[in-house]
Amino acid sequence: AVAERIGYPVLIKAANGGGGIGMEVAASADKLLKAIGRCRSRSERAFGSSVVYLERYLTAPRHIEIQVLFDAHGNGVSLFERECSIQRRHQKLVEEAPSVVMPRFPGLRERMGEAAVALGRAVGYVGVGTVEFLVDTDGAFYFMEMNTRLQVEHPVTECVTGLDLPGWQLRVANGEALRFDAPPAIGGHAIEVRLCAEDPSKGFFPQPGQVTALEWPPGPGVRVDSGIVLGSTVAPFYDSLLAKLIVSGATRAEAIGRLQAALAATRIEGVVTNLEFHRWLAAHPAFLAGELSTGFVDEHWGK
């Protein structure tokens, strides 16, 4: 009955899970019960709970999230959006701020920011957090979840706002009040790519190994947050993320130019990575045009 009310296709998700694990799409009623069964089974194995829920499945949405910051004195602000639509297995590979979709729908940034702040206030949230949405092709947006923590992609927000988000997490946890009632203006554009030990030619399957050569790119507007050094052993037991390469510029075009140069200058050997995938992406016409959706990789990669 819920699926009929929401309308097909529907997405079945683990209520106690995350990371895209166990998600199933059902395009019609005759496929719904089997899809729920598969999702329940995977959820039980991965998260110890078979509880699932349904939501409307959007066929070509953008994944847009709003960074929020709240103190313990009732103050809260939106620190604008991040575009996280380039994904594999429903997990992010590239994030940028601001999103190119915002100018296409006047007032969208403000409405999404207000919704994110309202959610945080409703639960009495204190700290840095992220409210995640899907934005449909008509500009309508839908709440997915809130991550009550700093996220991997927080550096792009730091680049365009000038704020130290880990620093503010510590300040508000220590009882300090926000020093502003409105966020700084957006300054420039920033892009982050996740460099992972995985093989894009084999479905982005994780690839353990040992780092035998390592070079990070120099240059202005380039930041590397790395979890590896020369000689590091990449085990198969953990997340495949090795490092984050973050670039910024006055415009999106400048940021992309710096990204292309930085990726060309990066060297990781001894372990298979998605470095070549990111080089491909940074030059792809659809990416350059900002024509993004969560189906981008499935639509373009390997075609």
Side-chain angles (χ1 to χ4, degrees), residues 195 211 213-216 228 242-243 266-271 273 275:
L195 297 173
V211 179
L214 184 63
E215 293 180 16
W216 296 123
I228 57 171
L242 302 177
T266 299
R267 181 183 175 208
I268 306 173
E269 295 181 4
V271 59
T273 73
L275 181 58

Side-chain angles (χ1 to χ4, degrees), residues 163-175:
L163 296 176
D164 174 2
L165 293 183
W168 272 109
Q169 176 70 77
L170 294 173
R171 291 188 189 104
V172 297
N174 198 41

Side-chain angles (χ1 to χ4, degrees), residues 143-164:
F143 170 74
M144 283 199 300
E145 64 182 5
M146 181 177 186
N147 283 308
T148 53
R149 54 177 170 80
L150 278 170
Q151 287 190 278
V152 172
E153 58 269 28
H154 77 269
V156 294
T157 297
E158 293 186 315
C159 288
V160 299
T161 63
L163 296 176
D164 174 2

Side-chain angles (χ1 to χ4, degrees), residues 154-233:
H154 77 269
V156 294
T157 297
E158 293 186 315
C159 288
V160 299
T161 63
L163 296 176
D164 174 2
L165 293 183
W168 272 109
Q169 176 70 77
L170 294 173
R171 291 188 189 104
V172 297
N174 198 41
E176 289 188 33
L178 297 185
R179 299 171 188 168
F180 45 85
D181 56 10
I186 296 175
H189 199 96
I191 303 172
E192 173 185 292
V193 300
R194 303 190 188 197
L195 297 173
C196 302
E198 57 189 32
D199 189 346
S201 70
K202 297 180 179 179
F204 294 88
F205 196 78
Q207 300 290 316
Q210 186 175 33
V211 179
T212 58
L214 184 63
E215 293 180 16
W216 296 123
V222 177
R223 166 179 166 178
V224 177
D225 292 359
S226 173
I228 57 171
V229 295
L230 185 63
S232 288
T233 297

